[in-house]
Amino acid sequence: MFRMMPFQIIFNPTSAAELARMPRELQLQILGEFRGLPQQVLATELDEFGKLERGGRTLHRFRVGDYRVYFERHELGVVVHRILSRHTLKDFFYRSGLKLEEDKALQQNPKFWELIETAKTAAKS
């Protein structure tokens, strides 16, 4: 008999705090978008999600209304690194003078990767 391994959606401390600061209705909307994620992550190469790569690391992005959820695969499921308002990203693009597609622009910008890494540093302290 085939036994399914449990699939976990892990919010690091930064993404958990970002989610907690949102209104309850928005939290439920974002969490609702995770319903189909286990099947998508387990069954595909995640082609339908945005993809950012750097230094052998791959992050994926999906949109929920005005928000972007950045996550990566993990042996237990996925780790959510950041939940950012697209308006924050617009400001980021404006300040950075980026004219590329969103994923390509973020992938090439070291400031984005610093933003992702700050979650790891915050979790260790």
Side-chain angles (χ1 to χ4, degrees):
M1 178 164 79
F2 178 72
R3 184 168 172 236
M4 281 287 288
M5 293 292 294
F7 184 92
Q8 293 184 24
I9 299 171
I10 303 161
F11 289 85
N12 68 18
T14 301
S15 63
E18 289 165 345
L19 187 65
R21 284 192 296 272
M22 296 175 183
R24 173 72 97 223
E25 218 173 89
L26 182 56
Q27 289 178 18
L28 294 174
Q29 179 186 359
I30 289 173
L31 292 172
E33 291 296 323
F34 284 102
R35 276 178 298 180
L37 193 62
Q39 291 77 25
Q40 291 174 303
V41 169
L42 296 172
T44 71
E45 289 303 312
L46 301 175
D47 293 334
E48 68 273 13
F49 296 103
K51 184 176 183 179
L52 300 96
E53 297 176 301
R54 183 174 177 184
R57 184 172 184 192
T58 302
L59 289 182
H60 295 280
R61 173 196 46 77
F62 74 92
R63 295 179 187 174
V64 180
D66 284 342
Y67 289 83
R68 307 295 181 258
V69 178
Y70 294 91
F71 69 95
E72 68 182 323
R73 280 185 173 171
H74 183 275
E75 60 189 26
L76 299 175
V78 297
V79 175
V80 177
H81 290 285
R82 300 301 301 248
I83 304 171
L84 300 172
S85 166
R86 85 179 175 124
H87 301 294
T88 302
L89 291 175
K90 275 186 181 177
D91 292 344
F92 179 76
F93 289 137
Y94 179 77
R95 287 190 313 270
S96 302
L98 302 173
K99 305 288 188 245
L100 304 171
E101 290 179 32
E102 183 177 312
D103 292 338
K104 287 183 182 173
L106 289 176
Q107 180 173 292
Q108 295 173 3
N109 194 307
K111 294 287 183 194
F112 172 76
W113 293 96
E114 287 174 23
L115 181 69
I116 295 298
E117 289 301 317
T118 58
K120 276 187 178 177
T121 332
K124 290 178 183 173
S125 46

